[in-house]
Amino acid sequence: MCQHILNFMKNFLLSLRCLVAGVFFVFIANLAGCDGAIKKVPSVELMTITGEKLDPASFQGKVTLVNFWATSCVTCVKEMPMLVDTYKKFASKGYQTVAVAMYYDPPNYVLNFVETRNIPFKVALDPKGQIAKAWNDTKITPTSYLVNKRGEIIKRYVGEPEPAELQAVIEKLLAET
């Protein structure tokens, strides 16, 4: 009798560990943007700090990194030189970066940051949080979305992307027709 109970408990604990591991895997895969579903760029208009309007059609034919950031985010500030380098490396090949400042980031801080660091790519403000909400209800910064030439979100990065991996994916997407 005791052996049956021990075997039952072992099997139960093994099943429980498998269930927990499965839930954890799904959570991490979803967090990394690997849920397998192809998602189109949200139907939301972005207004850059220079007054340029970007709509979903602005993403067609270009590989685009949409980066949600804030001037108060240490990791965001740290990753910005890498994003600038990546932009400069691929901009002439059909790549663009759009940095979206979070709703809580004061516009004058964003403008100062962009000017003092000579940010060469498009920067948009999200004063009401509507853009972040449309983009998978983004709350964590930095979060970046890589969009292919067809306007499909193919990868999400939460935190700073590893530069070599990011650039390899961009090269692959730029080679697609």
Side-chain angles (χ1 to χ4, degrees):
M1 179 78 170
C2 287
Q3 188 61 37
H4 292 296
I5 292 172
L6 286 174
N7 286 339
F8 173 78
M9 291 302 288
K10 283 181 188 176
N11 288 335
F12 175 76
L13 290 174
L14 180 60
S15 298
L16 185 60
R17 281 193 301 207
C18 289
L19 177 66
V20 169
V23 169
F24 180 74
F25 174 77
V26 168
F27 172 76
I28 294 300
N30 201 16
L31 186 65
C34 302
D35 59 4
I38 294 176
K39 297 179 177 109
K40 291 295 234 176
V41 168
S43 296
V44 63
E45 189 174 86
L46 291 84
M47 179 70 74
T48 70
I49 58 175
T50 61
E52 182 182 359
K53 290 182 182 179
L54 302 175
D55 60 15
S58 305
F59 295 87
Q60 296 295 318
K62 293 185 179 184
V63 173
T64 305
L65 184 76
V66 179
N67 173 257
F68 288 88
W69 70 291
T71 58
S72 60
C73 165
V74 174
T75 306
C76 301
V77 172
K78 178 184 171 288
E79 81 172 349
M80 204 55 76
M82 182 272 295
L83 296 180
V84 169
D85 291 344
T86 300
Y87 172 79
K88 287 179 178 178
K89 181 175 181 176
F90 295 109
S92 65
K93 299 174 184 173
Y95 171 77
Q96 66 180 350
T97 301
V98 180
V100 181
M102 297 297 282
Y103 72 92
Y104 51 81
D105 213 354
N108 57 326
Y109 286 23
V110 175
L111 293 171
N112 182 56
F113 186 94
V114 170
E115 289 173 3
T116 59
R117 289 166 178 83
N118 297 313
I119 303 300
F121 45 76
K122 298 170 184 173
V123 176
L125 299 174
D126 188 13
K128 295 181 182 175
Q130 294 170 328
I131 300 167
K133 184 145 185 72
W135 283 79
N136 202 37
D137 200 17
T138 300
K139 290 181 173 56
I140 298 171
T141 57
T143 295
S144 299
Y145 297 89
L146 197 53
V147 179
N148 67 16
K149 294 177 184 177
R150 294 179 300 281
E152 300 165 335
I153 300 168
I154 59 101
K155 190 157 180 82
R156 176 176 57 182
Y157 298 92
V158 178
E160 181 179 5
E162 197 281 311
E165 189 273 338
L166 172 64
Q167 291 182 8
V169 175
I170 291 169
E171 285 178 341
K172 180 181 169 217
L173 292 173
L174 287 170
E176 291 179 354
T177 55

